[in-house]
């Protein structure tokens, strides 16, 4: 399934007792369609308040229903803040999370207050020039130990990440970070955004960001940006994209 959602009113993707989660809502709708409990696995475990336009979810079920029909059947059962954009049968052994080769996220910054965008973007107290932010995040491209951008309390994941791009561009409300990597650490993108805003004020933004990266210490990085600006845009698989 290709899934999009507004994460504002969800307690993240992953199912949690007593909490409204995207996985929980999706599984409930699938159980209604299939007539039996279904467990879905998401490609990205987004946090509370984080959005997605390219989440991929996989599951196994015995059913005579054609896979393509699920998009419409689920659409009639899902709340307005979750949509299935596509559904298809996957190859044997496919797993939305483990089969992924990379993920692409965006993070939106607002220049001015805007009630229409504040659910999906963050307006920082200070504003940095696009060129300075670009210099700071481009310094992260390549294969590096990204421990400095991992929040305390995260699982023991390999801290070496292959970042294929990390650049900024204009959008109607301000600036948007486009970042893609083979995997991400806990809160990594949001910490990169907070650190880039600090590094952008340095005489050498790229050098400041490299110093943080090479410290391999979360204490060297900047604050973690809030969740509403973050969106899972795309999941990549061998020979295909979401």
């Amino acid at each position: 399934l290709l899934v999009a959602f507004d994460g504002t009113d969800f307690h993240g993707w992953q199912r949690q007792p007593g909490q409204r989660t995207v996985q929980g809502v999706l599984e409930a709708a699938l159980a209604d369609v299939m007539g039996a409990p279904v467990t879905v696995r998401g490609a990205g475990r987004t946090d509370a308040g984080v959005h997605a336009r390219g989440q991929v979810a996989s599951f196994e079920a015995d059913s005579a229903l054609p896979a393509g029909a699920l998009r419409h059947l689920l659409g009639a059962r899902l709340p307005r803040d979750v949509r299935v954009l596509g559904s298809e049968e996957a190859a044997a052994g496919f797993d939305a999370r483990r089969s992924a080769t990379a993920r692409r996220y965006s993070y939106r910054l607002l220049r001015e207050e805007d009630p229409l965008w504040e659910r999906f973007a963050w307006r920082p107290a200070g504003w940095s020039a696009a060129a300075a932010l670009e210099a700071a995040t481009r310094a992260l491209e390549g294969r590096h130990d990204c421990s400095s951008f991992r929040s305390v309390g995260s699982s023991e994941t390999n801290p070496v990440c292959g970042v294929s791009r990390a650049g900024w561009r204009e959008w109607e409300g301000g600036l948007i970070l486009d970042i893609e990597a083979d995997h991400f650490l806990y809160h990594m993108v949001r910490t990169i955004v907070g650190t880039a805003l600090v590094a952008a004020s340095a005489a050498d933004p790229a050098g400041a960001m490299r110093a943080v990266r090479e410290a391999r210490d979360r204490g060297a990085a900047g604050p973690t940006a809030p969740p509403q600006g973050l969106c899972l845009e795309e999941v990549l698989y061998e020979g295909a994209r979401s």
Side-chain angles (χ1 to χ4, degrees):
L1 306 176
L2 179 61
V3 185
F5 55 85
D6 172 355
T8 305
D9 297 325
F10 285 102
H11 201 76
W13 163 266
Q14 196 162 350
R15 186 191 326 106
Q16 299 178 54
Q19 301 287 353
R20 184 175 187 256
T21 68
V22 183
Q23 183 184 21
V25 165
L26 189 57
E27 288 179 344
L30 274 167
D32 190 37
V33 171
M34 296 294 183
V38 175
T39 299
V40 299
R41 185 172 176 86
R45 296 174 183 170
T46 54
D47 293 328
V50 175
H51 317 290
R53 289 193 292 193
Q55 171 72 298
V56 175
S58 59
F59 68 94
E60 293 184 3
D62 291 324
S63 174
L65 286 171
L70 288 176
R71 174 181 180 179
H72 304 289
L73 291 170
L74 289 170
R77 293 165 171 81
L78 288 168
R80 294 184 64 183
D81 46 4
V82 184
R83 281 292 171 266
V84 172
L85 305 180
S87 55
E88 63 182 58
E89 188 171 352
F94 176 84
D95 180 286
R97 185 172 182 81
R98 292 178 180 170
S99 300
T101 58
R103 294 163 183 81
R104 182 171 66 86
Y105 285 87
S106 67
Y107 195 98
R108 286 175 171 80
L109 294 180
L110 276 174
R111 280 200 177 91
E112 306 292 341
E113 292 183 356
D114 187 336
L116 298 182
W117 276 110
E118 285 171 0
R119 287 166 67 95
F120 309 104
W122 175 46
R123 181 173 176 262
W127 190 255
S128 301
L133 287 171
E134 176 82 1
T137 56
R138 289 291 182 188
L140 299 178
E141 292 183 343
R143 194 159 193 82
H144 306 288
D145 186 321
C146 294
S147 296
S148 290
F149 308 104
R150 175 168 57 185
S151 287
V152 175
S154 62
S155 59
E156 288 299 319
T157 307
N158 178 12
V160 177
C161 302
V163 180
S164 53
R165 56 176 159 170
W168 296 83
R169 56 184 170 83
E170 295 279 346
W171 68 287
E172 62 182 276
L175 292 171
I176 181 170
L177 171 67
D178 188 29
I179 183 165
E180 182 180 308
D182 58 0
H183 71 286
F184 288 90
L185 308 179
Y186 184 49
H187 288 169
M188 178 172 159
V189 179
R190 291 164 56 191
T191 306
I192 286 172
V193 171
T195 306
L197 287 166
V198 174
S201 63
D204 178 8
M209 186 64 96
R210 281 194 295 269
V212 171
R213 186 194 73 207
E214 291 165 7
R216 301 179 185 179
D217 178 6
R218 177 63 184 86
T224 302
Q228 71 269 19
L230 184 61
C231 181
L232 173 57
E233 297 283 354
E234 187 178 22
V235 183
L236 286 72
Y237 297 93
E238 193 68 41
R241 290 174 177 255
S242 67

